[in-house]
Amino acid sequence: MTIFEKIAAHEIPARIVCETEDFLAFHDVQPQAPVHILIVPKRALPRIGEAQPGDADLLGRMLLAAPGIAAAAGVAETGYRLVINNGRDAGESVPHLHIHLLGGRSLQWPPG
Ligand code: DGP
């Protein structure tokens, strides 16, 4: 099991801000911004590069949850960024798909 499957199964703790039947959102343990939340499917899907057409509904619902999660975190008006790291060069470190939601400061572009 990945660390995120264990969090989804409530086997290890996390600061959960949103939970549905098939995904949840929780604060990143190594925040890169004042608001840094991860939106994570409960079932194991390693990365966006391995997503299948059958994952479209789940991925869509995860994306559509982001504005509400951002609003609850207080960054809807100031802005936020959604990031998916896929593979080595992108800095993927947990092989379980997750959407980073970052906000609460001015973010640089292009990203490093
Ligand atoms: P990525 O590099 O895109 O694979 O992002 C993985 C993120 O997961 C990274 O920002 C740190 C975070 N993370 C790793 N382990 C844990 C954990 O046990 N709990 C929480 N809340 N976040 C974690």
Side-chain angles (χ1 to χ4, degrees), residues 3-4 7 12-15 26-32 36 38 84-86 90-96 98 100:
I3 193 98
F4 291 169
I7 289 173
I12 62 171
R15 293 170 56 210
F26 50 87
H27 289 275
D28 195 295
V29 79
Q30 296 173 318
Q32 302 301 314
H36 188 170
L38 304 172
I84 300 175
N85 293 324
N86 188 99
E92 176 196 307
S93 61
V94 177
H96 183 133
H98 45 284
H100 295 260

Side-chain angles (χ1 to χ4, degrees), residues 7-8 10 14-20 22-28 36-42 62 65-66 68-70 98-101:
I7 289 173
H10 300 279
R15 293 170 56 210
I16 295 171
V17 296
C18 162
E19 181 164 7
T20 74
D22 52 11
F23 68 88
L24 74 169
F26 50 87
H27 289 275
D28 195 295
H36 188 170
I37 291 168
L38 304 172
I39 307 171
V40 179
K42 289 187 173 179
M62 288 168 59
I69 294 168
H98 45 284
I99 302 171
H100 295 260
L101 189 160

